[in-house]
Amino acid sequence: MIRHPCFDETAHRTVGRLHLPVAPRCNVQCAYCDRRYPCVSENRPGTARRVIPPEEAPDYVEMALTLEPRIEVIGVAGPGDPLANEETFRALSRVREAFPRLKFCVSTNGLLLKEKLPDLVSLGVQFLTVTVNAATLETASKFYLWVRYQGKKLTGKEAAEAILSCQMEGLREAAKAGIRIKVNTVLVPGINDAEVGEIARRVWETGAHLMNIIPLIPLGRFRDRRPPTEAELRWARRLASRFMPQFLSCRRCRADAAGVPGEGDSLQTILWAAAIS
């Protein structure tokens, strides 16, 4: 068993994880993302009750471990992109000093993956989730409304070229570095459903280990688009499974998720209450 609840179906029900909500800013505007109104009751990526400063991270982790000793993985998954926030690295560094045996995981859109990989390696990050939603420039331009890269705000074909090339280069280098990689793909009928197999093939060629196809939550520019049916989701996973093993237990976690995923997230509420008191 790989002892990470988002990389192994068995661990999903027995191993805990804690997301540190330390990364508020994002360098990409995805068409399905709207982080302006994060509701405390919503269970979706990009939401968090509050952003904590890196200096609070060790105490936050200590509180969570006291409440749930089965937590083995500390992750950063937002609310923005972790690699676009120096707070991510400061928080993980402080936690590493205080809790050297915990495993680290980071989720990213992949734009800065190659650039920030040496920092991830030096911190001992063992797990990485990269969201890849397109195989072609045409599809990528529909998913990524703008990209901030190397001091420029890119749109259209330029944005698509930047993020697709950075994702593939970053994935290859991360795999060479020995990091275990899961690729998330948001399935949007009529946009990228015809490319799922090609996405799976390309990320498999980079050395990624696992794939997680997630149904669209209609928000942002895609708020009027429908999510895939169960049959469409099964078909997409079947196509992708020709190249990549599929993770089937994803809960589309918040940026402040806490606890054992297979048992729900009641620990989140306890941590919020403790932080307020």
Side-chain angles (χ1 to χ4, degrees), residues 3-4 14-18 65 68-74 101-104:
R3 298 193 66 84
H4 188 312
T14 58
V15 176
R17 84 310 191 205
L18 175 68
L65 288 172
E68 177 51 271
R70 291 178 294 174
I71 290 174
E72 298 182 18
V73 180
I74 303 300
R101 295 186 180 181
L102 290 174
K103 296 184 280 286
F104 283 176

Side-chain angles (χ1 to χ4, degrees), residues 9-25:
E9 306 285 349
T10 301
H12 186 78
R13 299 182 294 274
T14 58
V15 176
R17 84 310 191 205
L18 175 68
H19 287 176
L20 301 177
V22 296
R25 296 173 297 281

